[in-house]
Amino acid sequence: MKEYKIAVLPGDGIGPEIVPEAIKVLDKVGEMYGLSFSYEEGYIGGAAIDAVGEPLPQETLDLCKKSDAILLGAVGGPKWDNLPVEKRPEAGALLPLRKALGLYANIRPSVVYEELADASTLKKEVVLGTDLLTIRELTGGIYFGAKYRSEDERGSFAVDENKYYVDEIERICRLAFKIARTRGNKVTSVDKANVLETSRLWRETVVALHDKEFKDVELEHLYVDNAAMQLILRPTSFDVMVTENMFGDILTDQASVMTGSIGMLGSASIGGEVALYEPAHGSAPDIAGQGKANPLATILSVAMMLKYSFEELKAAARIEAAVKKVLASGYRTPDIMEEGKTLVSTSEVGDLVVKAL
Ligand code: IPM
Ligand code: MG
């Protein structure tokens, strides 16, 4: 029996409701595939501020470092929005956690489920068949560059430095090419090389890497503004998209919601000793505590955990199939509800997925 230690960080808002549903599912596939999971909970985000006065306690970081994988719910909420930036759940917990664990690659799938294609704001015939994987650089660029305010003769100003090393660009693009080889064999690299020096370095680096190691993979370049447009014009033509931290932040919101509901998409942050899995959506404080949250993104995140951290591809595929089955049987949380379907609660969805397994 293989044993895995999972650090569980439920966080804020709907986090504590969706995480237990994913654990139900993990336990069930564990039984089926001879895997045993043990869980240890840690505080993060607003919950950590309330409990111990800081958003990312050292204890939580230590727990993450000694675990085989991390399952995170969501962080943030209006209660903590007015704290100084280093105390805020997002900038004070998520970003330092990514940096401290060396999670340089964020992988976010945008898959359109046939059963949900009508829920998209885009026309069904445009989105149907979309299966895009965005690989976002997660520990460099403008998010982590020097930030400061100062003053000169003209007045006060603010600076956010955007800096990329060649080796940072190479490692994320190498990952993108490798993953593309396991799927549609195409990489779209997104930059703003017509304006930004970091983007010119990005493009040179990706082209050189492609020439040297990945000639067999199709490589396309798009400027980020055009990429935003092409994403809604021809989403099905994308396979793997790779881009820098901030462009990736923006494009993955767009790429995820156009599939119908952001409540359906998981994500993996990898690259360090231990990887982190979380739904692509936020803490949704407006619906917290009401059993309305869609746990499928978190459930699909544990499928990604099985795939990327434990190489249990069959177990991962089994979860994905169970999720499809639940949707095909007509069960829906409010975010994806349509006429003629059966409305169910957060925990009912978890039970249904377990049953489908
Ligand atoms: C994300 C989020 C974070 C980011 C925020 C909460 C700091 O938007 O994971 O995409 O910008 O990376
Ligand atoms: Mg974001």
Side-chain angles (χ1 to χ4, degrees):
M1 180 101 110
K2 287 190 214 155
E3 288 180 28
Y4 298 109
K5 275 200 280 230
I6 318 279
V8 178
L9 315 177
D12 309 318
I14 59 173
E17 289 171 76
I18 52 183
V19 163
E21 302 313 313
I23 289 180
K24 272 184 201 168
V25 170
L26 210 44
D27 282 337
K28 181 68 189 176
V29 288
E31 262 171 46
M32 297 164 67
Y33 290 89
L35 314 167
S36 130
F37 301 102
S38 63
Y39 309 97
E40 195 173 331
E41 273 204 27
Y43 288 122
I44 195 165
I49 293 174
D50 290 352
V52 295
E54 46 182 329
L56 181 63
Q58 185 62 41
E59 261 179 38
T60 299
L61 210 47
D62 293 342
L63 168 66
C64 291
K65 284 183 178 162
K66 66 168 202 203
S67 301
D68 298 311
I70 306 160
L71 178 60
L72 175 74
V75 298
K79 186 175 171 196
W80 307 284
D81 275 351
N82 297 319
L83 292 171
V85 64
E86 69 286 356
K87 287 256 168 178
R88 287 229 285 268
E90 297 88 342
L94 269 190
L95 304 186
L97 185 63
R98 289 169 182 170
K99 195 71 174 180
L101 298 175
L103 306 175
Y104 69 82
N106 180 233
I107 304 181
R108 292 187 180 175
S110 307
V111 181
V112 171
Y113 290 85
E114 209 173 335
E115 293 83 6
L116 298 181
D118 285 321
S120 175
T121 52
L122 300 183
K123 291 196 192 89
K124 189 170 181 169
E125 59 271 27
V126 173
V127 289
L128 213 57
T130 299
D131 182 0
L132 155 72
L133 200 67
T134 305
I135 302 191
R136 163 187 173 194
E137 202 293 323
L138 202 60
T139 51
I142 200 164
Y143 271 60
F144 293 95
K147 300 180 192 313
Y148 58 91
R149 293 195 189 198
S150 187
E151 244 173 83
D152 61 13
E153 358 23 282
R154 179 166 170 181
S156 340
F157 62 88
V159 174
D160 291 288
E161 184 187 58
N162 190 13
K163 176 172 169 181
Y164 267 109
Y165 288 94
V166 170
D167 65 289
E168 281 177 303
I169 303 170
E170 265 176 0
R171 71 179 177 187
I172 191 78
C173 293
R174 179 172 287 115
L175 180 71
F177 284 127
K178 281 189 178 163
I179 292 181
R181 274 182 180 156
T182 68
R183 313 171 21 112
N185 214 37
K186 178 179 173 187
V187 169
T188 302
S189 170
V190 175
D191 62 42
K192 189 71 185 174
N194 49 350
V195 180
L196 301 179
E197 206 49 48
T198 40
S199 280
R200 284 189 275 275
L201 181 66
W202 182 282
R203 194 174 287 210
E204 273 165 37
T205 307
V206 67
V207 166
L209 181 68
H210 178 253
D211 280 352
K212 214 167 99 202
E213 295 175 34
F214 298 98
K215 272 269 186 235
D216 56 303
V217 182
E218 186 189 340
L219 173 64
E220 163 187 59
H221 303 278
L222 291 178
Y223 294 140
V224 61
D225 50 346
N226 188 25
M229 182 165 76
Q230 299 306 325
L231 260 183
I232 55 168
L233 282 175
R234 52 170 179 93
T236 58
S237 74
F238 290 87
D239 176 31
V240 171
M241 184 163 80
V242 65
T243 190
E244 64 137 270
N245 205 342
M246 187 157 77
F247 297 160
D249 177 45
I250 299 166
L251 291 175
T252 51
D253 263 29
Q254 184 186 337
S256 59
V257 80
M258 73 191 194
T259 64
S261 170
I262 196 166
M264 292 295 304
L265 302 165
S267 91
S269 299
I270 68 171
E273 300 260 294
V274 54
L276 179 144
Y277 300 86
E278 61 180 318
H281 58 71
S283 59
D286 52 321
I287 58 162
Q290 302 169 36
K292 288 183 182 166
N294 184 348
L296 290 176
T298 319
I299 290 171
L300 290 166
S301 299
V302 300
M304 294 182 85
M305 179 190 290
L306 289 165
K307 193 188 294 180
Y308 292 108
S309 281
F310 307 145
E311 286 166 35
E312 296 287 347
L313 302 187
K314 279 194 191 138
R318 192 76 177 245
I319 294 180
E320 289 165 2
V323 166
K324 284 204 179 116
K325 194 166 169 193
V326 169
L327 293 174
S329 311
Y331 297 106
R332 301 283 188 274
T333 39
D335 56 312
I336 49 174
M337 186 60 191
E338 288 169 85
E339 230 185 275
K341 305 294 180 196
T342 315
L343 189 67
V344 285
S345 69
T346 308
S347 66
E348 282 172 316
V349 174
D351 294 341
L352 285 161
V353 175
V354 166
K355 212 168 128 203
L357 279 168

